[in-house]
Each structure stands twice: as C-alpha cells, then as structure tokens.
Amino acid sequence: MSSSKSCSSSKSLSPIFNICWLSSRESSCFFAQSAKSFLALSVISTNTSRLFSLLRLYDENYKISHEEMLEMIQEATAAPSSVNMQPWRFIIAETEESKAKLKPLIRFNTRQNDTSSAMILIFGDMLNYELGEEIYDQAVAEGKMPQEARDQQIGAIIPYYKSFSKQEMNDVVKIDSSLAAMQLMLVARAHGYETNPIGGFEKDQLAEAFDLDKERFVPVMILSIGKAVEEGYESVRMNADKITTFK
C-alpha cells in the first residue's frame, strides 16, 4: 500500500536517486503513513528472533520490481528525521555490473551480494538542507503547515544547519538515516522479503564507486534484500532488565 495522501506531489532528486522524498506530518507519526509498517510491527512482536537472524543466502533468480522497491522505500521514509530534513539517500545496486562494482568493497559479505535481489546502499546527505524549502513548501501545499509557520521554521532551520560542523552534521545524517534503514527492514519483511544489514564495507570508497561526491554523501549502511532460501543463523539478545535502568 503506497502512501498516496502523503506523497501526492513527490519529486525525484535526480536520475541517480530515482526515489521519491515525502514530507512526513510530524515526528510523532512514525508509522502513520503506511499500513504495512504497522503490519511489520506485528511481525517483530511475534517473531523477533527470525527477523534479526543472520541471513546470507537468497534466491538469486528472484527480482524485485522497481515499482515495489519504490513502494517499500516510500513506506520506509515515513520514518522521522531531525526537523524533517530527510537526509537519507538510496542507491539500488541490482544489475550484474553494479554488484560487480560493489563486490570488492564488501569482502566479508559477498554471498549476500551474489544472491540477493538487490543491495540497497544508504547514504546520508551532508547538504540535506538544500531540499529544505522544497520539503516545507510541500507541507504548505498539502495543507499540513500554514505559510507563516513554514517561513518562520525555514528561516531558523536552514542557517542553523549551515552552522553545523562536519562532525555534527555527520552525526545527524547517520542517526536519521539509520531510522529509515530500520524501518525499511520492517517494511521489507511485511512485503515478504528478508534483509541483512551490513556495516562491514569500504566506507572511504563506496560513494565514489557509485559516482557520488564522497564529501557530501556519507555511507551509513548497506541492506541486502531478497527472497530467502535458507533460515538465517539465530542470535540472542540480553534481557531488558540487564540493559535498562529506571531512575
């Protein structure tokens, strides 16, 4: 189910990022724009161990259509982000050429790369505020924000973001993009797919390998996605009372 109400006038950033960016209502509406996100939550509550098992092997003949991939990303980007700047950017490596380019950069995760329907490269845009006016204009056009509030917020947010140090912005885009990445894993499960989050890759080479400005686009995570052909290795989690303190 796509979120047509919240993305009635979505636009693509550029051909290389052929992904719609929607304007979320409020950060409190984390999952409100996608019924399948709610379904994913029910999955995690009933089958957590399988959801987070280590999966390395997929049906290499199964392909995910571009339409469904965009639908899943649309649902995943209902995730909240700081002042709704939505810094996440996605590249879908699905062709043999793209996967061959990626393979030497993920030396310990090649089985996922070889067999998955796609490898989703998630980047954080260090200049995300350049789309700030477009995002807030969309909110006004869709009746989610009055013009006065838009002008006031943009007038404060853009200069504030521009004042961030490189490290400060790096922290923001990685936190926000990780929220979208986790939601994408939940959404993918609701669509009947398995994912594997990958953090072990050549972070200093990934952006340039896919023709991106490495100073602007910070690699956050890679997700493999596809139809599983084997059960993943189950892992364990510490009890909540061991890692939680009430004061």
Side-chain angles (χ1 to χ4, degrees):
M1 180 185 300
S2 60
S3 184
S4 59
K5 182 177 180 181
S6 60
C7 195
S8 58
S9 60
S10 59
K11 299 179 180 178
S12 295
L13 175 60
S14 70
I16 198 168
F17 290 124
N18 193 19
I19 302 296
C20 288
W21 314 122
L22 77 158
S23 177
S24 302
R25 286 179 179 235
E26 300 287 345
S27 293
S28 59
C29 298
F30 190 0
F31 293 102
Q33 297 180 12
S34 168
K36 283 182 177 173
S37 295
F38 285 110
L39 175 58
L41 283 179
S42 68
V43 170
I44 193 173
S45 66
T46 58
N47 205 356
T48 303
S49 62
R50 189 166 74 90
L51 181 65
F52 293 107
S53 60
L54 181 59
L55 183 74
R56 295 185 181 274
L57 194 61
Y58 300 89
D59 178 355
E60 57 189 289
N61 296 313
Y62 189 93
K63 302 301 179 185
I64 300 173
S65 70
H66 288 188
E67 291 76 17
E68 186 174 20
M69 185 68 77
L70 287 169
E71 182 179 357
M72 288 190 287
I73 290 176
Q74 190 75 74
E75 293 167 358
T77 54
S81 62
S82 301
V83 295
N84 201 24
M85 284 295 105
Q86 306 168 48
W88 39 71
R89 306 288 183 262
F90 304 87
I91 287 185
I92 313 302
E94 60 177 0
T95 65
E96 290 185 10
E97 180 184 7
S98 292
K99 285 189 169 187
K101 189 183 299 184
L102 181 60
K103 191 169 185 175
L105 305 181
I106 51 168
R107 290 172 293 171
F108 304 108
N109 297 281
T110 56
R111 290 186 74 193
Q112 297 95 310
N113 188 58
D114 291 343
T115 64
S116 64
S117 298
M119 301 289 279
I120 304 175
L121 318 183
I122 304 175
F123 294 87
D125 184 357
M126 297 285 280
L127 299 180
N128 57 84
Y129 53 81
E130 290 187 351
L131 289 177
E133 292 195 13
E134 180 179 333
I135 292 169
Y136 278 71
D137 285 344
Q138 183 180 338
V140 172
E142 294 183 12
K144 297 172 183 176
M145 176 182 291
Q147 183 68 44
E148 182 180 358
R150 176 265 185 214
D151 294 344
Q152 183 179 28
Q153 292 189 36
I154 283 294
I157 290 168
I158 301 301
Y160 179 60
Y161 261 44
K162 285 183 176 181
S163 74
F164 280 10
S165 67
K166 184 175 181 179
Q167 185 59 54
E168 288 172 330
M169 186 60 78
N170 183 78
D171 291 345
V172 168
V173 302
K174 284 188 173 179
I175 290 171
D176 289 351
S177 299
S178 294
L179 289 171
M182 183 70 252
Q183 179 144 317
L184 182 52
M185 293 177 69
L186 298 175
V187 167
R189 168 57 66 83
H191 278 252
Y193 301 113
E194 299 292 344
T195 58
N196 182 211
I198 297 169
F201 55 88
E202 304 297 335
K203 296 177 177 61
D204 60 333
Q205 301 176 46
L206 190 65
E208 287 187 325
F210 287 86
D211 305 315
L212 300 179
D213 178 358
K214 68 177 183 179
E215 296 301 319
R216 174 168 182 169
F217 298 104
V218 178
V220 177
M221 190 182 305
I222 299 175
L223 294 181
S224 59
I225 184 170
K227 287 285 187 180
V229 296
E230 67 175 12
E231 290 289 334
Y233 300 101
E234 292 190 2
S235 58
V236 299
R237 294 293 183 271
M238 292 187 291
N239 289 332
D241 59 3
K242 185 177 180 63
I243 58 173
T244 307
T245 300
F246 295 94
K247 293 187 176 181

